[in-house]
Amino acid sequence: MAEMTLDQLTRLLRECAGEEEGVDLEGDVLDTSFTDLGYDSLAVLQTAGSIEREYGISLPDETIAEATTPRQLLAFVNESLGAAA
């Protein structure tokens, strides 16, 4: 896979941690913090684990902790995907 999209990320977030009532993941959420979207660090770690399994990449815990928004996490994931290709 060449690149992970926001749609793919929000699908995994929903599968791993659900979706908080009142939060619209279909909107412009790229720069919204995971906390504001209703996801704590454990939910992001669970999602990152699913990303690793689904995409066959490894994401260091420190990198995941630095990703506070979907845009940042997608950048780390897509950088790893590019390096793996």
Side-chain angles (χ1 to χ4, degrees):
M1 239 175 239
E3 183 176 276
M4 181 179 203
T5 66
L6 179 59
D7 287 341
Q8 292 163 323
L9 175 58
T10 55
R11 176 185 55 82
L12 286 173
L13 283 166
R14 284 184 185 109
E15 288 175 6
C16 293
E19 185 173 356
E20 193 168 292
E21 190 175 321
V23 173
D24 180 14
L25 290 178
E26 300 300 320
D28 183 17
V29 297
L30 273 174
D31 295 312
T32 305
S33 73
F34 285 115
T35 305
D36 288 344
L37 293 172
Y39 298 107
D40 62 12
S41 58
L42 180 58
V44 175
L45 279 173
Q46 289 173 325
T47 302
S50 290
I51 291 168
E52 290 176 328
R53 287 187 296 280
E54 191 167 313
Y55 290 87
I57 59 173
S58 180
L59 300 169
D61 289 345
E62 306 82 45
T63 300
I64 297 165
E66 289 176 23
T68 59
T69 66
R71 183 183 304 275
Q72 291 172 331
L73 184 55
L74 284 171
F76 290 137
V77 169
N78 289 328
E79 182 179 311
S80 293
L81 286 170

